[in-house]
Amino acid sequence: MSGVPLFNLAPNLTVSRLCLGSMSFGEQNTLAESFQLMDQAFHAGINFFDSAEMYPVPQRAHTCGRSEECLGRWISQRKIPRDSLVIATKVAGPSGQMTWIRGGPKCLDAANITEAIDNSLLRMQMDYIDLYQIHWPDRYVPMFGETEYDPVQQYASISIDEQLEALSAAVKAGKIRYVGLSNETPYGLMKFIQVAEKYASHLKIVSLQNSYSLLCRTFDSAMAECCHQESISLLAYSPLAMGILSGKYFSPGGGPTEARLNLFKGKYSEGESRYNLSKKIIKAATMEYLDIAKTYGLHPVSLAIAFVLRHPLVASAVFGATKSWQLQEVLNACKIELASEVIEDINKIHLRD
């Protein structure tokens, strides 16, 4: 394997700077198609694969868990040495909608976390998970496109102590190696780090998986300082803003019918709330970024991925692909370095929009 740069995320945990997300496996992609994509990614130098117990999306009772199953079956059938891969997955936070996951799930107490870890290991046919992440906080936080904190929406939540105690027990039992957070806030990240210190060296928060792209740069303020000071790396998900930054939704007819925002229109509220081209500011900014790509002779995907990977705190860009050629576009992008004038033009649009 060669071609994709590597990053030392933690001791004995080296990840490729591109991470293939599996949220389409078992929904948009069949098992055979998923295998082909993972084959292509692995042979190109990607060793990092991300999943979640609730995948694929949009989340449904009869497909829940298929993405993890696809990943596990691929490793088993291809006879890939387990230590040559870094496998990440996530436990779902509270949700009144996904009643098929542990009855809600109502909370992230110790019992829920332990059950979720055991179920993921069974689905993936594995003895351990390299990076286990809390998909979203147990407590109220503005998420999935929301930016303002509303104190009125606060509700009783499971203590961070209890969550980390369960994760610590899983580390001691050899079920997981490292812990990460996702969709977190600066307050949450710092609180988890503070509480984790009582568990000594065997429990450390090593990563944060938050959205980061040309269209979403909220990480660049308080969260960037927290990550820098605490040596936490960002796993930047949705670097293409659900495909919008590829430019495909600007083609005649609004893009391919099988593209995610078209295929699942009205069925995927978490995605649509963040990336909706009916919002003038998102559409205008995207069109300007596409113009930058054209001006400098870059593929739009190369511009978007290279922008994310140039950030000094980004360990890996977590992306999805449903077609081989889409995966290849991202692989090509990791070899691109953006000139200073390109960054200047990007920042002008960011500051204006």
Side-chain angles (χ1 to χ4, degrees), residues 129-140:
I129 296 161
D130 295 290
L131 178 64
Y132 197 68
Q133 304 154 101
I134 294 176
H135 207 154
W136 60 87
D138 184 89
R139 67 190 192 284
Y140 158 71

Side-chain angles (χ1 to χ4, degrees), residues 91-333:
V91 55
S95 170
Q97 298 175 330
M98 293 183 288
T99 54
W100 52 87
I101 300 179
R102 300 186 306 283
K106 293 180 175 62
C107 66
L108 280 177
D109 60 9
N112 268 282
I113 290 173
T114 302
E115 184 180 343
I117 292 170
D118 290 343
N119 288 342
S120 287
L121 287 170
L122 283 172
R123 280 190 292 269
M124 294 192 290
Q125 306 170 56
M126 290 178 187
D127 296 323
Y128 66 91
I129 296 161
D130 295 290
L131 178 64
Y132 197 68
Q133 304 154 101
I134 294 176
H135 207 154
W136 60 87
D138 184 89
R139 67 190 192 284
Y140 158 71
V141 296
M143 283 189 300
F144 306 127
E146 298 176 350
T147 56
E148 296 183 5
Y149 181 85
D150 180 5
V152 176
Q153 294 193 48
Q154 182 178 344
Y155 52 78
S157 58
I158 301 300
S159 71
I160 288 173
D161 287 76
E162 180 171 345
Q163 295 173 64
L164 283 176
E165 189 170 352
L167 292 167
S168 174
V171 172
K172 282 185 175 180
K175 296 178 181 179
I176 60 176
R177 295 178 62 204
Y178 292 97
V179 175
L181 303 173
S182 184
N183 297 300
E184 256 300 355
T185 67
Y187 166 81
L189 176 64
M190 295 307 297
K191 200 68 180 175
F192 267 94
I193 290 170
Q194 179 188 37
V195 175
E197 288 175 353
K198 72 170 64 176
Y199 296 98
S201 60
H202 77 270
L203 183 65
K204 186 178 184 299
I205 309 298
V206 300
S207 62
L208 172 78
Q209 186 173 159
N210 276 20
S211 179
Y212 188 69
S213 70
L214 288 168
L215 291 176
C216 178
R217 295 176 60 173
T218 51
F219 173 82
D220 283 335
S221 52
M223 188 61 93
E225 181 186 9
C226 292
C227 286
H228 178 232
Q229 297 294 345
E230 298 296 331
S231 299
I232 302 290
S233 295
L234 176 65
L235 306 178
Y237 79 77
S238 213
L240 294 171
M242 291 184 65
I244 287 177
L245 289 167
S246 72
K248 64 184 176 184
Y249 293 104
F250 291 84
S251 58
T257 55
E258 72 272 15
R260 195 187 322 167
L261 290 176
N262 291 331
L263 186 63
F264 302 129
K265 193 168 186 178
K267 299 177 182 177
Y268 186 38
S269 58
E270 292 91 343
E272 291 175 353
S273 64
R274 281 182 286 182
Y275 307 114
N276 194 325
L277 287 175
S278 65
K279 296 177 181 177
K280 291 182 180 179
I281 191 169
I282 291 178
K283 184 175 183 179
T286 303
M287 291 180 72
E288 290 184 278
Y289 291 132
L290 294 174
D291 285 342
I292 287 179
K294 186 175 181 181
T295 297
Y296 290 97
L298 296 167
H299 193 290
V301 170
S302 293
L303 179 73
I305 296 293
F307 169 78
V308 169
L309 291 179
R310 72 179 293 277
H311 197 297
L313 296 173
V314 169
S316 190
V318 185
F319 71 99
T322 58
K323 305 281 195 303
S324 174
W325 59 265
Q326 293 173 332
L327 175 53
Q328 190 59 52
E329 285 179 350
V330 177
L331 289 168
N332 294 340

